[in-house]
């Protein structure tokens, strides 16, 4: 997947300015940068939530015409949100079942099909949430909700997962679980784009790191290269 | 999770058995007349709940389709002599399907906006429809109204066929509502109500799902309108496209419990007969509107979720305190 020359303006101010990033299967690409540098906006464009003012998104070398969240979802591009966003009145199993990509006519089938329930239970088991399967999402702790968010991406058989600060507000045990899953999926060929403030996690996990500064990539390379780049140090220290 | 529990089916049998027996036990015309309006509002409330309760779109143009159904039936029976009381009821089925189809472009236009904007715009649709019906005199005969032919039936039995037809429609719309709740469609509608943007990010085809709920609710409203027009015999734009009917429907859904299966029906059967009775006794004064506003305010203040979820929860809590036995979910909230 590739984003080429993506530009997005909010009332004259360019949140993204000719921003290009490419991700490869089985690789974890880190996207870092100070607050307000456009990371979330970039995610929103890549997942069809925001229409770009310029530039294109490509999946498998083919341009995605008129990207919408649903269309990208069907192409295997799934995301989590920076702030846990879930459906407080639905149960964990229902939320995970909702995330399964199915043909349209399945909407006239059961609320939760047996097969989807099994898969949901399996994912909940892996995340250590199995005992809470019948609870409503609103009853979970914040950390558990974020883990459930991540769980939805596991249901979708994704090819590219975009994670927006997945560890914010999550305790260390859960971060370990999360990291384990990212490593496992990576060996299965899933690509990741990871926005993360915890730099040690980024350095441990990422194959490539892209640094955004005011909507433009100012550096890219391996974690080691990037962490020694004077521009990056400057951008971070200078805010 | 939500299977056909013995409870649910049993309740349906009791409710519908009672409603079926009612016009044979109390055969006075005025009782059946009031009961007819109770059923009509129950149909409207259950149908509105599909889009207003499940999907969370406060669709205040809903009664437009009630009026369109009423006019569609009346217009198609101009200059017809009825040989059977039943034939117009059959025509109501294609009218419902046709108007459901007609509602799809309306849905595609309106469902781009949400929340309060949607509510306001959709109310404008109702007013617009009333203005059109009042002024398009070549088709609707305008404010002078138009009539259905008289059915060949003994005056002493007059209300019963209409009551039974409305009861059938209520059974159908309630069954449909139950089916939606236990299908993936219902799951998606609930997700849309809670957070539509998030639902899009999980691949939910939000537009199509909303249109399905919208069109179904409009189709049922049209059928109810058809039966109503046939029953009252003569219709006017101000009664066919009435904002009072609209707000009454919404209030009943809120009172009973929006987004639940039985709530709208409970709300309608509590309020509509009271309203008809008051209209009977108070005559044409619009005093009941004040009572309405008061009830609505009290509901919002003391029963924000409506009667059915509140009663259900306290019942479950009592049972959980009582003995073993899990908290079976009887109501889908
Ligand atoms: N919906 C929006 N409307 C206006 N400005 C926005 C909107 N979303 C983001 N911005 C602006 O775009 C810039 C980038 O924000 P964001 O993408 O959230 O940065 P990050 O995720 O890197 O912290 C900020 O200046 C922010 O104020
Ligand atoms: Mg952000």
């Amino acid at each position: 997947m590739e984003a080429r020359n993506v530009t997005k303006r909010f009332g004259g101010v360019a949140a993204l300015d000719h921003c290009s990033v490419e991700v490869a299967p089985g690789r974890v690409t880190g996207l870092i940068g100070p607050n307000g540098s456009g990371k979330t906006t970039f995610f929103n464009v890549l997942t069809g939530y925001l229409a770009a003012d310029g530039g294109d998104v490509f999946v498998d070398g083919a341009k995605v015409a008129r990207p919408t969240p649903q269309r990208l979802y069907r192409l295997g591009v799934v995301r989590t949100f920076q702030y846990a966003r879930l459906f407080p009145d639905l149960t964990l199993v229902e939320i995970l079942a909702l995330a399964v990509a199915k043909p349209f006519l399945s909407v006239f089938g059961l609320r939760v099909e047996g097969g989807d329930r099994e898969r949901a239970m399996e994912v909940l088991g892996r995340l250590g949430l199995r005992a809470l399967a019948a609870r409503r999402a609103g009853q979970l702790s914040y950390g558990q909700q974020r883990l459930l968010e991540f769980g939805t991406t596991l249901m979708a058989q994704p090819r590219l997962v975009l994670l927006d600060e997945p560890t914010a507000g999550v305790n260390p045990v859960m971060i370990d679980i999360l990291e384990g899953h990212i490593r496992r999926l990576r060996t299965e060929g899933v690509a990741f784009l990871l926005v993360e403030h915890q730099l040690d996690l980024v350095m441990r996990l990422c194959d490539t790191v892209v640094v955004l500064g005011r909507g433009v990539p100012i550096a890219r390379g391996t974690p080691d290269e990037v962490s020694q780049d004077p521009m990056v140090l400057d951008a971070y220290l200078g805010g | 999770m939500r299977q056909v529990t013995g409870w649910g089916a049993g309740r349906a049998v009791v409710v519908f058995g009672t409603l079926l027996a009612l016009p044979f036990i109390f055969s006075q015309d005025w009782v059946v007349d009031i009961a007819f309006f109770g059923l009509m509002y129950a149909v409207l409330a259950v149908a509105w709940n599909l889009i207003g309760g499940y999907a969370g779109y406060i669709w205040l143009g809903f009664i437009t389709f009630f009026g369109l159904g009423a006019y569609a039936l009346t217009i198609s029976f101009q200059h017809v002599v009825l040989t059977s009381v039943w034939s117009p009821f059959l025509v109501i089925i294609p009218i419902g399907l046709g108007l459901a189809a007609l509602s799809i472009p309306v849905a595609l236009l309106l469902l781009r906006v949400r929340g309060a904007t949607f509510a306001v715009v959709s109310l404008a649709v109702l007013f617009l429809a009333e203005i059109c019906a009042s002024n398009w005199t070549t088709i609707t005969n305008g404010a002078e109204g138009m009539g259905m032919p008289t059915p060949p039936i003994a005056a002493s039995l007059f209300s019963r066929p209409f009551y039974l037809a409305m009861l059938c429609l209520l059974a159908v719309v309630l069954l449909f509502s139950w089916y939606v709740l236990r299908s993936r469609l219902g799951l998606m509608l609930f997700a849309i109500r809670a957070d539509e943007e998030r639902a899009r990010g999980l691949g939910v085809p939000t537009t199509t799902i909303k249109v399905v709920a919208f069109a179904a609710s409009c189709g049922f409203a049209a059928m109810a309108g058809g039966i109503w027009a046939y029953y009252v015999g003569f219709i006017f734009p101000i009664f066919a496209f009435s904002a009072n009917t609209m707000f009454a429907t919404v209030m009943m859904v809120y009172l009973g419990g929006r987004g639940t299966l039985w709530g709208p029906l409970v709300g309608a059967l509590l309020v509509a007969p009271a309203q008809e009775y008051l209209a009977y006794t108070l005559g044409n004064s619009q005093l009941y509107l004040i009572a309405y506003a008061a009830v609505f305010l009290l509901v919002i203040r003391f029963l924000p979720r409506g009667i059915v979820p509140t009663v259900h929860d306290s019942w479950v809590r009592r049972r959980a305190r009582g003995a073993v036995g899990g908290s079976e979910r009887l109501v889908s909230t």
Side-chain angles (χ1 to χ4, degrees), chain B residues 271-293:
Chain B
V271 175
Q275 172 195 319
E276 291 303 312
Y277 184 76
L278 289 180
Y280 244 176
T281 49
L282 298 179
N284 245 344
S285 79
Q286 304 260 301
L287 274 179
Y288 73 91
L289 285 179
I290 297 172
Y292 250 61

Side-chain angles (χ1 to χ4, degrees), chain A residues 35-36 38-41 82-83 164-165 195 197:
Chain A
N35 275 329
K39 305 181 297 290
T40 298
T41 304
Q82 182 168 356
Y83 304 99
D164 201 347
E165 303 196 18
V195 166
H197 275 306

Side-chain angles (χ1 to χ4, degrees), chain A residues 158-220:
Chain A
R159 295 164 63 213
L160 168 62
V161 181
L162 298 92
L163 301 172
D164 201 347
E165 303 196 18
T167 69
V170 178
N171 75 37
V173 177
M174 291 187 190
I175 294 178
D176 279 348
I177 296 178
L178 199 71
E179 189 179 340
H181 280 289
I182 296 174
R183 287 185 189 284
R184 180 178 59 80
L185 288 168
R186 173 166 64 180
T187 64
E188 294 170 10
V190 176
F192 283 89
L193 193 57
L194 175 67
V195 166
E196 185 50 65
H197 275 306
Q198 228 175 296
L199 287 183
D200 53 336
L201 182 69
V202 173
M203 297 301 157
R204 264 201 323 268
L205 207 51
C206 294
D207 304 294
T208 315
V209 175
V210 177
V211 186
L212 273 191
R214 292 172 195 279
V216 256
I218 53 174
R220 68 182 84 209

